[in-house]
Amino acid sequence: MTEFDGITARVIPTERIDVGLLERAADDPSTPPERTVVLVHGNVTSAVFWQETMQHLPSDLRVLAVDLRGFGHSEHAPVDATRGLRDFSDDLRATLEALGIPSAHLVGWSMGGGIVMQYALDHPVQSLTLQAPVSPYGFGGTRRDGSRLTADDAGCGGGGANPDFVQRLTDRDTTDEAPTSPRSVFRSGYVAAGYSGEHEDLWVESMLTTSTAEGNYPGDGVPSENWPGFAAGTIGVLNTMAPRYFDVSGIVDLPQKPPILWIHGTADAIVSDTSFYDLNFLGQLGVIPDWPGADVAPVQEMVSQTRDVLDAYAAAGGAVTEVVLEGVGHSPHLESPTEFRAALLAVIGYVGSRIEPSPATEAIIIRSVD
């Protein structure tokens, strides 16, 4: 895997697993927690995706990015999905302890957003930046208020993964010959239509580090009497976000509330109130047959759920800033890097940071709730 200028890679042993780590070579390990930023990637990616962000953050910060288990250079240990995202958040804790970092500003992208919210429930943090995060109620299978649709979380978890996409990950397919190839999925799901960047080959290579061994991506499924005929299993990545295992809405009740930045794009195909990765939405569109209707299998309002929880967090005394980027997809740090960095620096309290739209961004909407 290619490291950008000024970025170094290593694998460090922890009490749980061996963890892949990217760091800036010139950073000072004695930097205090209030100036330390830890970047946590999402599903089917790795720490490599953060390198541009790392390069362009101020030099007096300490910035590092970790590989989650089963991704990048981290150990391909199995994931116990019945713990929700705690295997990942506990690995993160063990990593920071091994590095002598008691607390930091945590940045989580997509699934990583759920991981850092879980971390904040269990350990002190300086701030949370949630980039296109998974809903606090998990992925799929819930109503707007977070209540579960079925007792077995039908339509959620590992059984919903496209088997051809999984096979192409296993085969390390770098082509764009099929809509299920990792490169095609990056173009259609990770970024908005029309995005182009010079590092696409590296991003695809990063996606291909995903372990598809048993217990990693995607995880198992079980038969269900409920539509669409399967439910969440107990191992593997996708099952960690099934609502019976994952619910971090309890951040509302944290006695010490770190400031939160929520940054997301209006053209996100993955985390949305009309997500093309939500099987209930695909059923409503007729892509998956025999959808039983909105009374039984409503679309998950992912963005609205996050907004509801963060509004409640603010009402309980927390500080929340929401940054909405018009026309941006699931990867603001790639698609609108200037806006992303400025928003991050603002939430960590970096002096002189400002959030302004660049010419490439149609509009930026900022909503502060405190």
Side-chain angles (χ1 to χ4, degrees), residues 47 67 69 143 239 254 281 292 302 362:
D67 284 326
R69 67 167 61 195
R143 302 175 184 86
N239 292 314
L254 283 174
F281 182 57
M302 303 177 189
E362 294 180 12

Side-chain angles (χ1 to χ4, degrees), residues 174 236 278:
T174 62
D278 176 9

Side-chain angles (χ1 to χ4, degrees), residues 205-361:
E205 183 182 354
S206 169
M207 295 171 70
L208 295 175
T209 67
T210 301
S211 172
T212 56
E214 184 177 4
N216 292 127
Y217 183 86
D220 62 338
V222 297
S224 174
E225 295 180 355
N226 301 300
W227 185 89
F230 72 89
T234 60
I235 59 172
V237 175
L238 292 186
N239 292 314
T240 63
M241 293 171 281
R244 65 171 149 170
Y245 305 136
F246 178 75
D247 181 348
V248 291
S249 61
I251 61 171
V252 170
D253 301 316
L254 283 174
Q256 300 295 322
K257 292 180 169 60
I260 292 179
L261 165 66
W262 174 30
I263 182 166
H264 58 108
T266 61
D268 193 334
I270 297 176
V271 175
S272 165
D273 282 0
T274 52
S275 168
F276 288 98
Y277 289 70
D278 176 9
L279 297 195
N280 288 359
F281 182 57
L282 295 181
Q284 178 179 291
L285 295 178
V287 175
I288 300 177
D290 303 321
W291 180 60
D295 290 342
V296 176
V299 173
Q300 184 188 14
E301 298 175 84
M302 303 177 189
V303 171
S304 295
Q305 287 177 331
T306 297
R307 185 170 290 116
D308 290 346
V309 169
L310 294 184
D311 280 351
Y313 185 89
V320 176
T321 300
E322 178 185 0
V323 176
V324 184
L325 298 167
E326 291 289 339
V328 169
H330 193 59
S331 307
H333 72 296
L334 299 182
E335 300 170 76
S336 294
T338 300
E339 292 77 17
F340 175 81
R341 290 194 302 270
L344 170 59
L345 291 174
V347 78
I348 71 174
Y350 194 85
V351 176
S353 59
R354 299 175 62 189
I355 306 173
E356 295 178 345
S358 69
T361 304

Side-chain angles (χ1 to χ4, degrees), residues 88-107:
F88 296 120
S89 63
D90 287 352
D91 291 346
L92 178 59
R93 178 63 174 180
T95 303
L96 297 188
E97 287 181 335
L99 293 169
I101 299 173
S103 179
H105 298 281
L106 300 186
V107 181

Side-chain angles (χ1 to χ4, degrees), residues 91-159:
D91 291 346
L92 178 59
R93 178 63 174 180
T95 303
L96 297 188
E97 287 181 335
L99 293 169
I101 299 173
S103 179
H105 298 281
L106 300 186
V107 181
W109 172 30
S110 193
M111 182 178 76
I115 292 167
V116 301
M117 282 189 277
Q118 181 61 62
Y119 189 101
L121 284 173
D122 300 330
H123 310 287
V125 300
Q126 298 292 314
S127 72
L128 293 177
T129 293
L130 310 176
Q131 176 182 247
V134 62
S135 163
Y137 299 115
F139 202 97
T142 57
R143 302 175 184 86
R144 171 75 176 263
D145 65 0
S147 58
R148 292 164 59 200
L149 300 179
T150 64
D152 59 357
D153 293 338
C156 300

Side-chain angles (χ1 to χ4, degrees), residues 31 36 195 206:
T31 302
T36 299
Y195 168 82
S206 169

